[in-house]
Amino acid sequence: MPEMTPERWQWLNRYARSVFGDPDEQLATLVDRATDAGLPSIAVSPDVGRLLQILAASTPGRLALELGTLGGYSGIWIARGLAPDGKLITVELEPKHADFAEAEFASAGLADRVEVRRGAALEVLETLAEELEEGTVDFVFLDAVKTEYPDYFRAIKPLMAPGAILVADNVYGTGQGWIDEGYGTDEFNRLIAADPDFLATAVAMREGVLIARRM
Ligand SMILES: C[S@@+](CC[C@H](N)C(=O)[O-])C[C@H]1O[C@@H](n2cnc3c(N)ncnc32)[C@H](O)[C@@H]1O
């Protein structure tokens, strides 16, 4: 087994981004536009975006939910993986982020397929639980408050269709540190891993990406 060094890990991340990078100008320039507009630079990387699109496209792609919109980078990838009449509801607390993302969805030609819901994810989920029928969501991406992932999961589980896919970012670490240092989402990882209704694993992309299928 070749040794995994920090240098090799960084090289592999750069390699993944160059081989599996942004497919067009809109996505390639979005993060820089967002940073110029004062948004934090914490969007997923292009290789993770590509994974989101592939996974969304492997479901019927009728309805997707994202918690944590930021500038719309991951949302564009997800929306592009949905069925032609599919819809993404993406939830964002910060009005400035929501405004920026709405403009990006519009210039990506996705205005009619993406709805930005403004507010705190847990409160919006209470509303969505009343609005949406159980078992109608095909794809979920968790990327808002990491410590709230267990509550997001409990609220979203009844909404997920059999065969639906849930993806969660930062399951091995956050901008502050790694899971062995007390960061990341250990409680959530163990909750979904122990749930007999889900088949879950995590891949070591960026700070850890969990992928789970509702059985
Ligand atoms: C890591 S960023 C999302 C990145 C985005 N998914 C992407 O990859 O392009 C997290 C976002 O969640 C938002 N956020 C923070 N607390 C929230 C909450 N309680 N409810 C909804 N969104 C929240 C932040 O304002 C930020 O825009």
Side-chain angles (χ1 to χ4, degrees):
M1 181 80 163
E3 191 189 358
M4 177 56 78
T5 62
E7 292 74 25
R8 180 165 285 128
W9 174 249
Q10 282 162 14
W11 187 91
L12 288 172
N13 275 289
R14 285 196 299 275
Y15 173 82
R17 285 165 207 193
S18 69
V19 176
F20 305 110
D22 292 305
D24 60 29
E25 197 61 16
Q26 167 96 26
L27 284 171
T29 54
L30 192 155
V31 171
D32 283 347
R33 269 197 305 285
T35 308
D36 289 348
L39 274 62
S41 185
I42 49 174
V44 297
S45 53
D47 50 328
V48 173
R50 203 171 274 262
L51 178 71
L52 293 171
Q53 181 172 353
I54 292 167
L55 292 172
S58 70
T59 73
R62 296 159 296 198
L63 180 58
L65 266 186
E66 176 184 53
L67 304 183
T69 316
L70 189 62
Y73 182 81
S74 53
I76 291 175
W77 282 102
I78 295 166
R80 288 181 178 175
L82 299 179
D85 58 347
K87 180 180 171 188
L88 168 67
I89 300 174
T90 179
V91 181
E92 176 54 54
L93 179 67
E94 295 294 334
K96 181 175 169 177
H97 300 182
D99 290 345
F100 182 94
E102 275 178 347
E104 291 292 330
F105 291 132
S107 53
L110 295 165
D112 57 336
R113 302 180 52 196
V114 182
E115 181 190 345
V116 181
R117 286 286 179 108
R118 292 156 189 261
L122 286 173
E123 286 169 26
V124 175
L125 283 173
E126 276 181 34
T127 315
L128 290 176
E130 288 166 16
E131 274 176 38
L132 303 176
E133 279 181 44
E134 290 201 350
T136 56
V137 173
D138 290 319
F139 184 83
V140 175
F141 181 44
L142 306 184
D143 199 16
V145 182
K146 312 308 165 191
T147 52
E148 292 181 357
Y149 280 15
D151 293 324
Y152 298 159
F153 175 63
R154 284 185 275 266
I156 286 173
K157 180 180 169 181
L159 299 175
M160 290 178 70
I165 298 284
L166 180 148
V167 181
D169 198 19
N170 299 102
V171 298
Y172 286 164
T174 70
Q176 282 77 47
W178 294 99
I179 197 162
D180 60 308
E181 300 169 313
Y183 299 95
T185 61
D186 178 60
E187 182 194 344
F188 166 71
N189 294 342
R190 292 177 189 280
L191 181 69
I192 196 163
D195 190 320
D197 295 329
F198 283 82
L199 188 59
T201 191
V203 291
M205 296 172 82
R206 290 181 74 247
E207 292 156 334
V209 177
L210 180 140
I211 303 168
R213 183 178 191 271
R214 175 100 155 92
M215 304 309 288

